[in-house]
Amino acid sequence: MANNTKNRKAILVTPELCIGCRACQVSCKSWNQLPGIKTHNSGTYQNPPDLSNTAFNLINFIEMPSQENPARWLFVSRRCMHCDDAGCMKICPAAGAIYRTPEGAVAFDSDKCVACKLCVNACPFDVPRYNDQGKMSKCHLCFDRIGSGMEPACTKTCPTGALKYGDRDELVKTAKVDGFSTIYGENDLGGLGAVYAFKEAPKLYGMKENPVIPSSVIFWHKYLKPLSWIGLGGVVAAAAIHYLAIGPHKDEEV
Amino acid sequence: MAEMVQKESGGAILNHWALAISCILLMITGFAFLFHLEWIGSVFGGFNTMKTVHNWVGVIFSVSLVFTMFQYLGDSLKYDADDAQWFKVAGGYLSHKVKVPPMGKHNPGQKLYYLGIALFGLLIALSGFGIWLMKENTTIMLLSHLVHNVAFVFFCIMVPVHIYLSTLANPGTLPIMLSGKVPLALAKKRYPKWVKAMGKM
Amino acid sequence: MTNHWIDLRNADVILAMGSNPASNHPVSMKWVMKCKEKGGKLISVDPRFTQTSAKADLYAPLRSGTDIAFLGGMINYIIEKNLYFKEYVVNYTNAAFLINPDFRGPADLDGLFSGYDAKTRKYDKATWSYQKDENGIALKDPTLQDPNCVFQLLKKQYTRYTLDKVSSITGTPKDKLVAVYELYGSTGKPDRVGTECYAMGWTQHTVGTQNIRTMAIIQLLLGNVGMAGGGVNAMRGESNVQGSTDQGILFHILTGYNPTPNAALVDLATYIEKTTPTTKEPGGVNWWSNRPKYITSYLKAIYGEAATKENDFGYAWLPKLEVGQNCSWLNLFDAMLKGQFEGFFAWGQNPACSGANSNKTRAALGKLKWMVNVNLFDNETGSFWRGPGMNPAEIQTEVFMLPCVSSVEKEGSISNSGRLAQWRYKAVEPIGQARADAEILNDLHFAVKELYKKEGGAYPDPIVNLTWDYGEKDAAGKVKHVDVHKVAKEINGYYTADVYDTKVDPPKLIGKKGDLVTSFALLQADGSTSCGNWIYCNSYILKDGKEVNMMARRGKEDPTGLGLYPNWAWTWPVNRRVIYNRASVDLNGNPWDPKRPLLKWNATDKKWEGDIVDGGPPPVAVSGKLPFIMKPDGVASIFGPGLAEGPFPEHYEALECPLEENSMSKQRINPTIKIFGGESDAFFSCDLRYPYVASTYRVSEHWQTGVKTRHCPWLLEMQPQNFCEMSIELGKELGIKNGDMVKVSSARGEVQAVAMVTERFKPFNLANQTVHQIGLTWHFGWQFPEDGSGFDSANMLTPNVGDANTMIPESKAFMVNVRKA
């Protein structure tokens, strides 16, 4: 894994501090100049219902039963996790279409995207989305802000600190000191660039347990990819040896 | 001038080269995708065009592959005792001293090679279309991606073998695939059973 | 706010009741969450489990409109369990004061206080008074044992608010009541502080003012007023609503909370005599005794040179109310409907959606001859004549649209809930024909003044004598562009003559004519100073010969560590961040809570350290002066005779309610509210056609009637449509599923909405009935989105009945029916 952890930046999501105001959704749209989506109310505050090519982040409103109260209502920020071992980057066939910034963000370049849509299938978190031209888009950790020393639009706007941006190691350490027993994404997929601080099981918050890149992608990446050039090279080498050691076919000898 | 016999028809030659050239193009672009070889991409004016080229050349490859079925599939499925003996002596490629049994129009190595090409060609073509056209289905996408790449490994190994055997390893073979004709004398040596079947021996 | 936003972090317990800050004041939650991080507790009391409830350590449901019962139970609990802060209560409140022995309360008179006249629905407050000695000083019993002392009367009234009784009214489970009382009551210890955050959840009731009074009493019993992390804090519903009331936008007050004169206050002397409180209490600073200085300086500010001692400083030119006249919203629209006036400026508002009982409001607009709609966008008000149910052919109202600019397109100040006046700058140029409000006013002022000058008219003096020195004038004498700094300086005030301190010999020059006045303590009653708004005096000062805009300051120092940030912008009065802060120290000037020393008396240097001290005198033990300087007697009023309903709050049901009887007393509804009797003023209680309690509220994504926010696609994406929240149980009963379309109707109208069937709403189990409650947002309107997909305003449903003191409509508790659309 890359583990250039020294300078790696991250977003720390603390759902316990999130109040569901969704300023993050607006600021993201504002900074990225994404159009509003024509939605309807489907009986929940959550809107748009899911991430989309014009909605890079989203607050999931999760209602669940509670002993003490009428309900429990959780607000969980969803976005690209900026995996260190990113399935999308692995599988992407287009050079430079998905790339890692010096801060550790998984960013993208629409011009270079070949619209193959392989990345969504390799993403353990169902994050990448496509526009009309099939070009991928998703949260890029405001690479254009963080690259200039600013913080991402969403964390800048968050009033309660439910979204914090900073040095990844520092954020993880602080969250632990603050008593969060589970740091989701601390080590998953080489360490996520969006880490979550929980006091309960991440599953409760709708987080995937043990997120992994599909095994076929791993197998392909680990074995098939090298095998293709080893195979090619091997055959060429073998042919050369054969030619030199044994030589070409001689019809006369038959 | 030595007597020549017609080994390959004009159509077959054309199809062979369509398949060969498309295959090589696909492999080159495939390698570029696999290893993000930007210099290859730039030859095509970027990865986007390269993807389009890869997809449509894939169509040529697939069509061409189907044509080969009519040409080679029948013959490739027939094996006799000489073929078995041919395997025992590894076609004489490992030693010039061994006696290679008499062969027909294609030796079993070629026949097996064709079967491989047919099978993996089919797989790589189908999975290619899966990746191209079935984007909304994760299972098909991932399976296609896997199959495409497994088949690619086969091509990476077998295509150079074929090129070597049909050029350097067997001088005189390439002209056959260019003109379709083979000198009778050479044919009698290499494909005695075929020549016999034609009644020229 | 008595305190300020950042101060929320200093609390031990925060009670969010009558508010939903997580949705409606999200930035305040920054400080709430910081409070929680340090171990503070958040209590949420709300009919619905809200975003705030989701963050609360303790949640208790209550039926809409029963806050006084809930809080009355808390008063009872605090007294019963001896949780109150006795030293504070005895010294800093009127708990020890003896009340007129003829005074009777709800415990004696079945829900009423002595002096009630059923015919006028008003009280004669004669018996709501102190017993006084021959010198006019109130009699007191510091042991709090006298049966006529405020404390005992309080105890007597609230003993009736038992847990069982309260629970049967509010529908709150008893264990939750006890948990809230216990936790909040824990702040009665000197070193523990609790704060309350309220918003429209408390004000929009027929008992709105008394809701807040009840909390004020609790805060005084627990010694939480004046403390860092304490107070009673109004979270304002608009960014500058504090500023608008400060600057006299309301009909009953001039600037700085000086009362609007009425016809009986014939001249300045009478005005001063009748409105200036007096006291014989030795401990009373009675700051309002300065009223003559403030009103005179105000008159000098608006009439300038024309205001002279000889002409009563132009007092006669001030518009006067009839005695007892109430010109608040509901009355205005009632009069409009009756055709009692013909013109209307709808300036920065959208009455067709914001006013209670929209059908009545919209019908009233149709009775106007003309209306000027000043807004960013055309809205349901400007286009009311083409709205649903309207026949444009029949409506004669001529509507003028004047596009104005948004807050980021102009320079000026905004005063937030924490009384913090912050200067803002123009960020972008306005688009199209949009103009700043001040520029529109400038044109209007000039045109009207010219007309009066040319044509005379009935009484031109108030207009032609108005000062308007807001910038360079053109040849015609019109101000070319309004310089808002000049407006700000006029509000702060100038010396209109050289002012000397005559107490010293030789007299010392305090201020030179034309200079800015640096503090309202220097304002004069003889016309030698002008001041547009005395509480803003000190906001734009002269320092070292330079004019300094205090509101534009951006210092980030926090010397106390309590988040006062005294060099950031400016807070009224005189940059005091917590008002009544002299109540945060004991009689010797030592902080009650040494951990949060808002103020401390430095006995050596004989000065206060910390926040800017309220009033200025040394500690009570030194000066004898008590901390509540705005109250004539120097102490806070647990017994508060100022309000219409009584000196102590009593629980009454909402005008529309699901109960046949108020189980506290025979008085079902607030006995002093005004009930409109017109055809369009219908209301129904306990009517089978309208069986469910309803409340309106807001969401984070929209602002007010949504005129600004509905035009923003990003916000509409998140909250595209009006929705109606209801319990799973009610949904089942009505066959309504989550996401279904429903129609909600009341005696006054109907509105469509998307059903949000949720566990977060629960039916209330009262004594012998189950009450269902629903809630809707009021941010939508028929005009935009243009396809009508947002639905109309929830104010189609709300009743036009107001609080007895403020006339704020009861939009938080009324009765409706719900059916599947």
Side-chain angles (χ1 to χ4, degrees), chain B residues 42-55:
Chain B
S42 58
V43 170
F44 292 88
F47 272 61
N48 263 298
T49 343
M50 188 166 78
K51 188 195 99 176
T52 312
V53 169
H54 187 85
N55 285 355

Side-chain angles (χ1 to χ4, degrees), chain C residues 472-758:
Chain C
E472 197 191 324
K473 289 179 179 161
D474 63 15
K478 187 188 159 199
V479 169
K480 287 181 190 162
H481 289 291
V482 173
D483 177 355
V484 287
H485 289 271
K486 292 207 165 179
V487 179
K489 285 187 263 188
E490 182 185 83
I491 290 171
N492 176 81
Y494 295 100
Y495 292 101
T496 55
D498 291 350
V499 173
Y500 291 90
D501 183 358
T502 49
K503 283 182 204 136
V504 291
D505 193 41
K508 195 182 144 215
L509 184 72
I510 297 173
K512 222 166 68 234
K513 182 179 175 178
D515 283 354
L516 290 165
V517 183
T518 35
S519 162
F520 52 66
L522 301 167
L523 292 175
Q524 307 292 320
D526 61 1
S528 56
T529 56
S530 75
C531 175
N533 184 351
W534 72 274
I535 55 176
Y536 278 76
C537 195
N538 185 238
S539 63
Y540 215 122
I541 62 168
L542 194 69
K543 199 175 176 191
D544 307 326
K546 267 212 218 124
E547 290 182 340
V548 178
N549 182 355
M550 298 288 276
M551 300 174 279
R553 297 181 309 158
R554 293 294 184 267
K556 291 179 187 160
E557 306 76 23
D558 181 22
T560 60
L562 291 170
L564 301 180
Y565 297 101
N567 300 323
W568 183 276
W570 179 87
T571 306
W572 73 257
V574 288
N575 207 27
R576 181 172 304 132
R577 304 283 156 151
V578 176
I579 53 180
Y580 303 124
N581 56 23
R582 222 154 58 88
S584 71
V585 294
D586 63 17
L587 301 180
N588 295 313
N590 294 315
W592 294 120
D593 178 4
K595 293 197 307 285
R596 281 162 282 207
L598 187 58
L599 211 58
K600 193 178 178 354
W601 177 251
N602 183 333
T604 332
D605 298 346
K606 300 216 180 314
K607 61 170 195 181
W608 291 101
E609 286 165 357
D611 194 10
I612 290 165
V613 68
D614 208 349
V620 182
V622 180
S623 68
K625 293 296 179 191
L626 291 161
F628 287 87
I629 63 165
M630 303 311 284
K631 306 299 291 184
D633 33 34
V635 289
S637 305
I638 284 179
F639 182 90
L643 300 187
E645 302 89 343
F648 296 127
E650 170 72 359
H651 168 69
Y652 304 114
E653 289 290 334
L655 177 67
E656 286 192 326
C657 83
L659 304 184
E660 297 278 0
E661 282 178 352
N662 172 4
S663 61
M664 283 312 302
S665 72
K666 263 208 273 207
Q667 277 302 318
R668 198 176 64 87
I669 60 165
N670 182 340
T672 57
I673 50 170
K674 172 175 178 175
I675 295 173
F676 292 89
E679 213 178 300
S680 50
D681 306 313
F683 61 90
F684 293 112
S685 262
C686 302
D687 188 307
L688 286 175
R689 288 172 297 172
Y690 305 106
Y692 311 118
V693 180
S695 189
T696 61
Y697 40 72
R698 313 181 188 209
V699 294
S700 310
E701 293 77 9
H702 289 292
W703 199 63
Q704 309 291 69
T705 66
V707 174
K708 253 177 164 175
T709 52
R710 278 186 275 138
H711 285 270
C712 176
W714 296 332
L715 299 170
L716 213 52
E717 168 188 313
M718 293 187 285
Q719 286 293 4
Q721 291 171 300
N722 197 1
F723 60 88
C724 169
E725 283 175 287
M726 66 180 77
S727 67
I728 304 275
E729 290 82 352
L730 183 59
K732 214 172 262 173
E733 215 172 287
L734 299 173
I736 293 167
K737 289 192 302 294
N738 197 29
D740 279 354
M741 215 56 84
V742 292
K743 283 205 162 138
V744 186
S745 54
S746 78
R748 295 153 298 274
E750 186 174 75
V751 70
Q752 198 170 331
V754 177
M756 203 179 273
V757 183
T758 169

Side-chain angles (χ1 to χ4, degrees), chain C residues 127-336:
Chain C
T127 58
W128 307 0
S129 55
Y130 296 146
Q131 296 181 36
K132 289 182 177 167
D133 67 12
E134 60 284 3
N135 297 318
I137 296 171
L139 299 178
K140 300 167 193 94
D141 174 19
T143 66
L144 306 180
Q145 295 307 313
D146 189 301
N148 281 322
C149 82
V150 166
F151 187 79
Q152 288 301 325
L153 293 172
L154 181 81
K155 190 172 167 183
K156 186 175 171 187
Q157 180 169 335
Y158 292 102
T159 309
R160 297 149 60 234
Y161 288 69
T162 60
L163 285 177
D164 287 310
K165 182 73 104 188
V166 170
S167 174
S168 76
I169 292 171
T170 60
T172 316
K174 271 196 283 182
D175 60 328
K176 290 283 179 191
L177 283 176
V178 172
V180 174
Y181 295 170
E182 191 78 44
L183 180 53
Y184 202 78
S186 73
T187 65
K189 297 192 182 74
D191 62 347
R192 274 181 69 80
V193 191
T195 187
E196 208 290 334
C197 300
Y198 74 89
M200 266 116 283
W202 268 0
T203 58
Q204 292 179 349
H205 291 279
T206 43
V207 292
T209 317
Q210 294 286 18
N211 282 337
I212 299 151
R213 267 283 296 152
T214 325
M215 193 64 215
I217 292 172
I218 289 172
Q219 289 295 66
L220 291 171
L221 287 174
L222 298 172
N224 286 335
V225 177
M227 305 283 286
V232 180
N233 294 302
M235 307 179 121
R236 302 299 214 149
E238 294 195 37
S239 40
N240 201 16
V241 77
Q242 179 69 51
S244 72
T245 49
D246 293 347
Q247 305 300 348
I249 280 289
L250 300 174
F251 80 94
H252 70 295
I253 43 173
L254 304 173
T255 62
Y257 304 91
N258 282 313
T260 306
N262 65 39
L265 307 173
V266 291
D267 53 23
L268 186 57
T270 317
Y271 175 87
I272 288 170
E273 187 205 325
K274 298 283 185 196
T275 66
T276 308
T278 55
T279 184
K280 301 250 167 64
E281 293 296 330
V285 171
N286 189 19
W287 199 267
W288 276 120
S289 64
N290 292 308
R291 173 120 52 216
K293 298 173 188 169
Y294 304 154
I295 187 70
T296 310
S297 297
Y298 170 73
L299 289 167
K300 281 298 286 178
I302 61 172
Y303 298 128
E305 298 287 313
T308 62
K309 201 167 168 34
E310 292 64 42
N311 68 6
D312 229 3
F313 299 108
Y315 173 81
W317 301 330
L318 284 180
K320 312 282 187 303
L321 294 163
E322 294 300 332
V323 176
Q325 186 185 5
N326 185 304
C327 292
S328 64
W329 183 279
L330 295 178
N331 288 323
L332 280 183
F333 278 88
D334 195 58
M336 193 191 288

